[in-house]
Amino acid sequence: MKKNTVFASLLLSIISFPLMSCSPDSSSSSGDSVYLVFESDIINEPGGQEEKEITCTLTRDNKATFNIDIPSLQWKVDESLGLLLYDSEKVTYVEYLKAYYKQCFFYEINGLLYRFIADDKDFRLPKDYAPPYKQLAQYVFTGNASVNFGRLESWIYLLGDEQKTVYMFPLSVRPSLLPDGVYIEYGWKFENNVFSFDFGGWEVSSEYCSTPGKRGYRIRIDGFYRMECFHVLDDGFDWRDYQDSDFETI
């Protein structure tokens, strides 16, 4: 399956919060002064793609501008989620990587997913900060992905935000550690006891285990590798103990 994903930003209601110390001070900052410059690279592609040197510059008048011909965005700091990029319809979450003093976000341009990173040692974390996908996760699936050198731990986060965002981390690189493999989709549903969402033009649907003591759901994704992740409902059961025979397609 082709690993193209739709990297539209997330639909959210943007509520204004007081900006923190990393944000512009309108009384002292000029309107066009630079706050951060993000550099980027392409992820999720095995090679053969011509990579452009795309940057995104945040200025203290709360504009986020790319160095290619695509629309600019606005930016602000949410007192809980941290830095957000947005336009009139969509929002992109920026994760602060505490171990590296970096801001990081993912953005699709011309069908390719770019990872944008900027140094930001002066950023003051919101209280009890956690990555936005963790704060907003409604369901978390844990499992592994099969690749040519073994099976690697993986995660699927189904966010409870307005656009029902899906974050997939397939390559055993724990979230928040500059993952090279990230997929983002939108519009997951839970209907008739089935989770479903689109992935690269294919519909992914969950299977259900109804056995008492190990009730739960499995999501399988086939592509360059195969992801198999589980959301367990019954306390005390380890997803590693599931068998194929435990699941049924609703």
Side-chain angles (χ1 to χ4, degrees), residues 34 127 165 214 236:
V34 172
K127 184 178 180 181
T165 309
K214 55 181 180 180

Side-chain angles (χ1 to χ4, degrees), residues 214-225:
K214 55 181 180 180
R215 293 173 304 145
Y217 300 90
R218 175 173 68 179
I219 290 178
R220 304 171 91 173
I221 299 175
D222 291 313
F224 178 68
Y225 41 72

Side-chain angles (χ1 to χ4, degrees), residues 18-225:
L19 297 182
M20 291 174 285
S21 63
C22 64
S23 305
D25 180 350
S26 58
S27 64
S28 60
S29 299
S30 62
D32 61 353
S33 60
V34 172
Y35 167 53
L36 285 179
V37 178
F38 287 84
E39 298 182 348
S40 69
D41 60 336
I42 296 174
I43 67 171
N44 294 347
E45 295 295 328
Q49 295 289 348
E50 181 180 351
E51 186 166 349
K52 297 181 179 179
E53 294 183 1
I54 299 178
T55 61
C56 179
T57 301
L58 273 55
T59 51
R60 295 189 181 275
D61 58 356
N62 294 101
K63 292 182 179 180
T65 305
F66 297 90
N67 66 334
I68 60 173
D69 188 19
I70 61 174
S72 297
L73 303 172
Q74 297 291 311
W75 69 273
K76 64 165 56 178
V77 178
D78 181 285
E79 69 175 10
S80 175
L81 298 173
L83 187 62
L84 303 176
L85 306 181
Y86 64 96
D87 57 20
S88 60
E89 296 181 345
K90 303 168 183 176
V91 158
T92 294
Y93 299 128
V94 182
E95 181 182 350
Y96 187 66
L97 302 162
K98 293 183 285 186
Y100 303 94
Y101 302 104
K102 295 179 185 293
Q103 302 278 9
C104 177
F105 71 93
F106 303 94
Y107 205 77
E108 185 186 64
I109 299 173
N110 297 327
L112 296 175
L113 178 61
Y114 284 78
R115 174 180 56 188
F116 287 83
I117 298 175
D119 292 325
D120 193 2
K121 294 182 179 180
D122 298 324
F123 184 71
R124 288 182 58 188
L125 292 175
K127 184 178 180 181
D128 301 325
Y129 176 81
Y133 61 84
K134 287 187 176 181
Q135 291 192 49
L136 299 175
Q138 187 170 348
Y139 300 96
V140 179
F141 286 70
T142 304
N144 50 49
S146 298
V147 292
N148 58 5
F149 48 84
R151 298 174 69 85
L152 302 176
E153 191 171 5
S154 57
W155 302 266
I156 299 174
Y157 289 80
L158 303 183
L159 274 56
D161 58 4
E162 187 172 334
Q163 197 166 330
K164 297 292 187 180
T165 309
V166 182
Y167 272 76
M168 291 167 275
F169 298 89
L171 297 180
S172 196
V173 179
R174 289 192 176 275
S176 302
L177 295 179
L178 297 177
D180 287 321
V182 176
Y183 294 94
I184 305 175
E185 293 287 0
Y186 303 94
W188 67 267
K189 300 176 183 178
F190 183 65
E191 297 176 345
N192 301 318
N193 205 32
V194 176
F195 293 95
S196 62
F197 57 88
D198 180 86
F199 179 62
W202 295 72
E203 183 179 61
V204 175
S205 298
S206 67
E207 299 166 294
Y208 180 62
C209 174
S210 60
T211 304
K214 55 181 180 180
R215 293 173 304 145
Y217 300 90
R218 175 173 68 179
I219 290 178
R220 304 171 91 173
I221 299 175
D222 291 313
F224 178 68
Y225 41 72

